[in-house]
Amino acid sequence: MEKLEKGEVHPKIIQALLDANTDISVDDALENEMILNMGPQHPATHGVLRLLLRLDGETIVACVPDLGYLHRGYEKMAENMSYYEYIPHTDRLDYISPMANNVAWVLAVEKLAGIEVPVRAQYIRMMIAELARIASHLVAIGAFAMDVGALTVFLWTLREREKILDIWDILCGARFTNSYTRIGGVANDAQPEALAKVKWFIDQFEENLDECERLLNSNRIFIERLEGIGVMPKDEALDYGFTGPNLRACGYEFDIRRANPYLKYNDIDFKIPVYTEGDCLARYFVRADEARESSKIVRQVLEKMPQGEILANQPKKVLPKKTEIYSRMEELIHDFMIVNFGINPPVGEIYHSIEGSKGELGFYLVSKGEGHPWKCKIRSPSFCNLQALPRIVTGYMVSDIVAIIGSIDPIMGEADK
Amino acid sequence: MDFREILIRKVQEKFPGESLTFSDYKNECVLQIDKKNIVAVCNFLKNDPELLFELCEDITAIDWAKRKNRFTVVYHIYSLKNNFRLRIKTDLDESDCSVDSVTSVWKSANWFERESWDMYGIKFNNHPDLRRIYLPEDFEYHPLRKDFPLMGIPGSLSLPKK
């Protein structure tokens, strides 16, 4: 065997290129296992995920994920700030659907402090959580399709998402990092023009989603690149900690909105899409169906939303409205006490989780009766879903890993906390 | 008989004479156990056909700073069949900061335990790959301990060489 100079291409490879021969085999260099570093700066890793791959030819033999490039220590920060101050930080966890994180945080704090929330505020929260789910799934589907080469879908889904961001703009003045919920309710009432825009959005959404789906469901390249790729067997899915759409693509009908209903999900009629294949294609189908179900939930929420208060009447725990602070003594005192010393929930610990767009988003809070939590643990769905990545990429090709990461839909802001 | 009573009866029958304390707070069931039983109890809870706590949602720790048993390791597990969440707690002393790993029971415990090691310095015996998960391997401290300052320790993170 003659030795090749550095940078020189093996003559067999050139010959194979000329012959358009796709199953070339070379009995040296290429047959050895090699290590490939993927990320943290890689467009298909959806942020700053780094993977170390051991390859045999093009087949993945082993995969080791490396996290922590976006670690900001949010759990440490939570221990040093009041429950109110932490709301804006939850925006930065899963930055694709910040509204859902806001809802999850305030629900956990309200459970800890024992605050009853007015019905209208609960309906508004349900509406924004479902819109956040649609927004998140639109990015997931679009980015996923872009990863496997269907660029147009990404533009079309982002066009839909843009409309949701416009709704959030009217609702709370911010498009991206919303911080819209407050402990005991929401920051301000949903204005009629915001609700009208939501109605307009869901009226046209399903048709537009159908349009996007037609681009994908009859696209042979898309289907063939995903069908039977990254299969998670049903009996291992729970063991690896899958939740959310990824778990439902494996055949489990598990949805926290149905299993442990929070807010007013008991009064809403919705289906849980379940697929049994557990591959990338099933995960995509679950997301598309869920977006459709979410728009149905939003429609019911708009119909059922009552008039009324949007903040709980518990002056020691809930911040008063700004106009009242400037005109009334009691409210000024309460505002001063809450801002300076916090809401002091009773000694105890709770865990509360919601069905976030990626899976089960939970907060474990321990209170010692002080204004700030003694301990705050974020149970982030992306972290747990990523854990199964080595299991489902092993045995597939390098080009499949891009599709598999896209189908798991990790958000590194959440996985790295 | 609701599921909570069945659970308590079954666990107490299976582990007689061991210290097992059930308590409730805001409708959440808590089981306090001794750390030497953790793997046996978890195995039983997961594999018993009536209980089936198949999903390990979360493992974390609490640093109580000045208490005698300084750390508490907290497990959240969930049974899909019975729609029930259980919190298991076990206390550790600072002088022997280790507990048996439950990765043999749930594979998802792997990263949760790595995170607890990274953040609190709790050693998990028999863990297959106990490395730090977020911070670099040469970092000396465990930042979620209460004696680690919020601003960090200057110079503790090595910068890339020029």
Side-chain angles (χ1 to χ4, degrees), chain A residues 11-302:
Chain A
K12 267 189 170 175
I13 297 178
I14 295 174
Q15 196 55 48
L17 281 171
L18 290 174
D19 296 344
N21 176 12
T22 49
D23 52 39
I24 160 190
S25 84
V26 181
D27 49 6
D28 41 73
L30 281 177
E31 295 221 336
N32 292 332
E33 288 189 349
M34 70 176 245
I35 306 291
L36 181 70
N37 177 56
M38 186 173 174
Q41 295 296 332
H42 187 286
T45 55
H46 291 221
V48 284
L49 171 66
R50 177 172 171 238
L51 301 170
L52 278 168
L53 307 171
R54 179 187 282 278
L55 304 175
D56 175 13
E58 264 201 275
T59 311
I60 297 158
V61 179
C63 165
V64 183
D66 185 14
L67 278 76
Y69 289 90
L70 202 58
H71 180 63
R72 296 149 294 178
Y74 270 148
E75 288 169 0
K76 184 81 177 173
M77 285 163 77
E79 290 172 11
N80 291 278
M81 55 176 61
S82 73
Y83 294 92
Y84 268 104
E85 279 176 290
Y86 196 65
I87 295 173
H89 291 288
T90 57
D91 289 337
R92 276 88 179 161
L93 289 173
D94 175 1
Y95 40 75
I96 299 294
S97 56
M99 285 285 203
N101 306 345
N102 296 160
V103 172
W105 171 255
V106 293
L107 283 175
V109 175
E110 281 157 10
K111 188 173 178 188
L112 184 66
I115 299 172
E116 278 289 321
V117 182
V119 181
R120 183 174 173 85
Q122 298 198 26
Y123 272 95
I124 295 176
R125 285 177 182 183
M126 232 155 47
M127 180 181 82
I128 59 173
E130 293 306 319
L131 284 176
R133 189 186 320 278
I134 297 176
S136 166
H137 283 348
L138 285 174
V139 172
I141 293 171
F144 177 41
M146 188 171 66
D147 284 345
V148 294
L151 188 68
T152 316
V153 185
F154 183 65
L155 303 175
W156 288 13
T157 53
L158 277 224
R159 182 193 62 198
E160 291 305 302
R161 182 181 149 85
E162 197 64 21
K163 294 170 189 164
I164 297 179
L165 298 190
D166 286 342
I167 291 168
W168 289 349
D169 192 3
I170 304 174
L171 212 51
C172 65
R175 285 162 55 81
F176 201 58
T177 45
N178 311 101
S179 310
Y180 177 54
T181 57
R182 294 290 180 274
I183 294 163
V186 289
N188 51 276
D189 202 351
Q191 308 86 333
E193 59 265 40
L195 296 178
K197 182 127 194 192
V198 173
K199 176 125 191 11
W200 167 80
F201 171 75
I202 53 169
D203 280 343
Q204 50 93 58
F205 171 67
E206 286 196 33
E207 204 177 307
N208 287 342
L209 187 64
D210 282 341
E211 218 173 26
C212 297
E213 280 202 297
R214 272 204 298 279
L215 273 185
L216 296 174
N217 292 357
S218 53
N219 181 339
R220 199 173 144 198
I221 301 173
F222 183 76
I223 303 286
E224 286 191 359
R225 279 207 63 181
L226 303 177
E227 205 168 12
I229 297 294
V231 179
M232 175 58 104
K234 186 179 177 184
D235 50 339
E236 289 178 52
L238 275 180
D239 211 19
Y240 276 101
F242 259 9
T243 47
N246 296 336
L247 183 67
R248 291 191 280 277
C250 299
Y252 284 97
E253 194 181 335
F254 176 57
D255 190 315
I256 296 169
R257 288 174 291 175
R258 185 65 54 76
N260 297 304
Y262 49 96
L263 295 173
K264 292 284 175 194
Y265 279 109
N266 260 340
D267 304 345
I268 303 283
D269 174 38
F270 64 98
K271 287 204 286 285
I272 303 172
V274 178
Y275 285 78
T276 50
E277 293 85 359
D279 58 358
C280 290
L281 195 60
R283 291 195 271 274
Y284 152 71
F285 283 141
V286 168
R287 290 214 170 79
D289 289 2
E290 264 187 39
R292 215 169 257 122
E293 284 302 314
S294 287
S295 81
K296 280 182 197 147
I297 295 175
V298 174
R299 194 182 298 277
Q300 294 177 48
V301 167
L302 284 182

Side-chain angles (χ1 to χ4, degrees), chain A residues 111 259 349 351 360 415, chain B residues 28 57 83 89 111 115 134:
Chain A
K111 188 173 178 188
E349 48 174 5
Y351 176 86
E360 177 179 350
Chain B
E28 294 182 352
E57 287 181 317
N83 199 2
K89 291 165 78 174
W111 279 17
E115 193 188 354
Y134 290 138

